[in-house]
Amino acid sequence: MLPSYFFAHGAPSLVIEDHEYTAFLKNVAASLPRKPKAIVIFSAHWEHNVQQVSAVQTHGTIYDFSGFPDELYRMTYPASGDAALSEQVLSLLNGAGIPVVPDTNRGLDHGSWAVLKLIYPDADIPVVALSVNRYLSNAEQYEIGKALGELRGQDVLIIGSGGIVHNLRQIKWGTGPETVDPWALEFDTWIEQRLQEWNLDELFRYLELAPYADRAVPTREHFIPLLLAMGSGDAGRDAELLHRSYQWGSLSLTAWRFN
């Protein structure tokens, strides 16, 4: 059975950056026991109030950002879709009572392709992308991931792409990785403990219980992929922190594996 993962995707420029986190991502594929047959990925940058599942033949590339280096706008990630897997995902979610519809047009946004391009640069593994819905409860997010957990036994790699501490208004441009805002680290550490203990009760109530939660998670869409990836690991309930570093004071670059 393959593990599932949560990866922070940072800024769109992550894909052209050179630091400890990008080096870590480039080594993820080698750490897996075998090459996945397909990838299911939830991106914080695809929001919809009804669960969407991509059902395309080949993914286009969405440049959902502005003001970044020109080379980013020339990048593509033309991974194929997987019609059979899309149908299976739809069936699993429907079976769990989760309203879901296929999407036959949308390409991959940078929450997906910037991460995937570092892990599997050849885009030679089929991808099925899924949206996130910030209006569902945290328990409902977890259940979506849990409904897809059996795919891991079919050599499907499940990824949630977002950010645990992600507040663009708190960024201190120009600061190096050695600068970490104490409030960001305190929130991250609180989340770390609940993940490792698999303490769902407190984790689902992070907004009321965790220190600096409103500051670390001003909007929920980047945090949701963590709960989705975690839910897909419900059978094993083993959470492992693989990497944590920071950009510009508080933007956390975090990787979690759920076994």
Side-chain angles (χ1 to χ4, degrees), residues 118-139:
L118 288 167
I119 301 173
Y120 291 107
D122 295 332
D124 58 350
I125 300 175
V127 173
V128 173
L130 285 85
S131 63
V132 301
N133 181 358
R134 72 169 77 188
Y135 300 106
L136 298 179
S137 70
N138 292 326

Side-chain angles (χ1 to χ4, degrees), residues 1-249:
M1 179 177 290
L2 291 180
S4 55
Y5 290 90
F6 169 80
F7 296 124
H9 58 246
S13 54
L14 179 75
V15 72
I16 59 172
E17 293 169 1
D18 182 16
H19 46 65
E20 289 184 5
Y21 184 55
T22 56
F24 162 80
L25 289 175
K26 290 175 182 178
N27 284 314
V28 166
S31 72
L32 289 169
R34 54 197 165 274
K35 187 175 182 178
K37 293 180 180 177
I39 296 170
V40 165
I41 186 165
F42 293 89
S43 170
H45 289 275
W46 186 6
E47 289 195 73
H48 204 282
N49 58 7
V50 176
Q51 182 65 60
Q52 306 285 301
V53 177
S54 70
V56 301
Q57 185 173 356
T58 303
H59 290 281
T61 306
I62 300 173
Y63 307 101
D64 52 334
F65 47 82
S66 61
F68 286 88
D70 290 344
E71 64 181 297
L72 288 182
Y73 302 93
R74 295 191 295 270
M75 287 190 173
T76 60
Y77 197 81
S80 66
D82 185 324
L85 180 58
S86 293
E87 285 297 325
Q88 187 178 6
V89 169
L90 289 164
S91 177
L92 289 171
L93 293 176
N94 274 317
I98 298 162
V100 58
V101 295
D103 181 286
T104 58
N105 296 304
R106 196 177 191 276
L108 297 176
D109 58 65
H110 81 270
S112 293
W113 64 259
V115 169
L116 293 178
K117 199 170 183 69
L118 288 167
I119 301 173
Y120 291 107
D122 295 332
D124 58 350
I125 300 175
V127 173
V128 173
L130 285 85
S131 63
V132 301
N133 181 358
R134 72 169 77 188
Y135 300 106
L136 298 179
S137 70
N138 292 326
E140 288 172 316
Q141 310 289 358
Y142 185 91
E143 289 300 315
I144 291 173
K146 183 178 178 180
L148 301 181
E150 68 181 69
L151 296 175
R152 296 170 51 211
Q154 302 169 27
D155 286 347
V156 174
L157 183 64
I158 299 176
I159 296 173
S161 175
I164 294 179
V165 181
H166 190 276
N167 187 339
L168 301 183
R169 293 185 177 182
Q170 296 293 319
I171 282 177
K172 299 175 181 176
W173 298 106
T175 56
E178 70 283 351
T179 301
V180 181
D181 290 338
W183 63 266
L185 182 59
E186 189 171 344
F187 177 80
D188 242 339
T189 302
W190 189 94
I191 295 296
E192 175 187 353
Q193 182 176 352
R194 274 68 190 175
L195 288 172
Q196 291 178 336
E197 295 172 351
W198 216 273
N199 186 336
L200 297 180
D201 177 62
E202 291 190 6
L203 185 63
F204 291 167
R205 295 190 295 141
Y206 73 90
L207 281 174
E208 61 179 286
L209 297 178
Y212 306 105
D214 288 344
R215 196 171 182 181
V217 188
T219 56
R220 296 178 60 228
E221 76 284 349
H222 275 77
F223 193 88
I224 288 168
L226 175 68
L227 300 173
L228 295 163
M230 184 186 188
S232 71
D234 182 79
R237 295 200 165 197
D238 177 34
E240 183 178 359
L241 177 63
L242 302 179
H243 180 93
R244 183 167 64 211
S245 56
Y246 294 85
Q247 286 182 309
W248 311 307

